[in-house]
Amino acid sequence: MIKRILSTSYLGILLVMLYAPILIIIIFSFTEAKVLGNWTGFSLKLYTSIFQGGIHHSLTSALYNTLIIGLIAAAASTVLGTIAAIGIYNLTPKSQKVMQMVNTIPILNPDIITAISLFLLFVSLSISQGYTTVILAHITFCTPYVVLSVLPRLRRMNPNLYEAALDLGATPFLAVRRILLPELKPGMISGFILAFTLSIDDFVVTLFTIGNEGLETLSTYIYADARRGGLTPELRPLSAIIFISVLVLLLVINQRAAKKKL
Amino acid sequence: MQQKVLTFLGRRRNWTIPYVLFLAFFVLVPMVLIVFYAFTNAEGAFTFANIQKFWIHPEAMNTFLYSVVVALITTFLCILIGYPAAYILSKMEARKAKLLVILFILPMWINFLIRTLATVALFDFFKIPLGKGALIFGMVYNFLPFMIYPIYNILQKTDQNLIEAAQDLGANPRQVFLKTVFPLSIPGITSGVIMVFMPVISTFAIAELLTINNIKLFGTTLQENIYNGTWNYGAALSLVMLLLIGITALLNGEGSSRAAEEGNLI
């Protein structure tokens, strides 16, 4: 009994510590003060001002860029990663091992190495940096994760189904569409979500591949802000909204998964 | 002709080709470029000067060693704090544990720069001075979930029969843990170490924010060199990082690919 109380409170303390800074952001999103940590009375002004254009235009356009880049990069890496996973699954065991090893290189590389190496690539080829280079860079570090989430689905599925479809006269493309894709869908969806979150959370790779044409994503915007010494107050409600939506989404998914199992 | 293309595409192993080309161009070539830049000067002529500069120039070397120490301390603290948490989670009812694991991972969804700035605000609030202590705290705070998750994963998969066998053979709870549970969970710790150690060395921005620009880590040195246009020297420093990654990956062997697979957590 005592053991249980002790262990529960240990987890409790850790969670409180982990969430304290986030709580601070959420609490101080309800006040107008410029500096995080000053309380100047309850107000919803920051929440309304995110959705107004004008002064905070640069913040909204950074948010917009982040979402667009995230969606394109996630979609592209899902397609590329799924095709690659199907290919890898059909290789000989030896080549499969090699491919899986190569696939982990981008994951094991710290983001600054990925960032610098891609920066050098774009500079050497004198490709001007901007939207395209950021998206390409994001596809580079997202695709391995898609491969990793699709491959287990392939391993779990009955390999004879696809052959059976072919024997029954389906063209390979029909067989892929009707047999393979439905089986792979859950892996593709989790790969897509993972790629999207990796993309919107990325800072280092984006910073090195975004160029200096004034393009900003949320994270480079925050970085520039932090270097100037302050945080645009509107970032508080924005983070609060993002956090609460992800929390709700995850709890719903978890509940649904639990129900399915029962 | 069309038939040939169709048979080529019909062989599903050929579907690997686009990804292989992509990896070659966006992963392999860029890494070769790091090596190329590291061994050339601004005019493109071969030189060892950049590497030498790292050995001779105390500033970069000191930052590097300092970062390794910070990363070691952070990794150690993450194991010390994270292992009991993972152990407790693995003993819980599966549904409850799953929910709690999600709660541990969730903070990752807030941009880490904002989280770090909020940590700074928290320290200010409690009048805790910013500096070395704050830096370590911030690092542990940022990377703890990456340690808890893989350890939890492996503990939860531990074969219960082995534990029961140990008990049947007369081991007391302490012995069961030290001789059975802990050794079986080492691969989880290895995965965690890979996911904490290297990233800490290469972070930049976190250290500056938590120490009011007093301490910088190796990641910042890399970034500054690229930003100031000294690409060749920056590439040489990156090469040092790459070698370090290579060594840790080799030392861990299988562990590295497992770590990569568990990178799925975010």
Side-chain angles (χ1 to χ4, degrees), chain A residues 10 14 18-19 21 24-25 84 87 90 103 110 112 116-117 121 123-124 162-163 194 197 219 231 239 247 250 254, chain B residues 12 15-16 19 30 33 37 81 88 99 103 106-107 109 111 114 117-118 122 141 202 219 231 238 245 264 266:
Chain A
Y10 181 71
L14 276 188
L18 224 50
Y19 279 87
I24 293 237
I25 299 173
N90 288 288
N103 189 53
I112 196 147
I116 291 177
S117 67
L121 176 76
V123 168
S124 317
Y162 180 82
E163 306 299 332
L194 192 62
T197 49
S219 48
L231 204 56
S239 315
L247 177 69
L250 276 179
N254 195 50
Chain B
R12 276 168 301 154
W15 291 25
T16 329
Y19 189 46
L33 278 173
Y37 273 86
I81 300 170
I88 295 167
L99 199 72
L103 281 180
L106 196 63
W109 255 283
N111 186 292
I114 295 187
L117 285 168
L122 191 71
Y141 166 67
S202 62
W231 298 344
S238 311
I245 299 160
N264 273 336
I266 333 161

Side-chain angles (χ1 to χ4, degrees), chain A residues 33-46:
Chain A
K34 283 252 174 318
V35 182
L36 181 60
N38 276 2
W39 182 264
T40 53
F42 180 84
S43 151
L44 286 174
K45 190 175 148 256
L46 292 181

Side-chain angles (χ1 to χ4, degrees), chain B residues 223-237:
Chain B
Q223 185 252 354
E224 282 172 353
N225 275 296
I226 298 293
Y227 254 60
N228 300 335
T230 43
W231 298 344
N232 299 91
Y233 186 50
L237 297 178

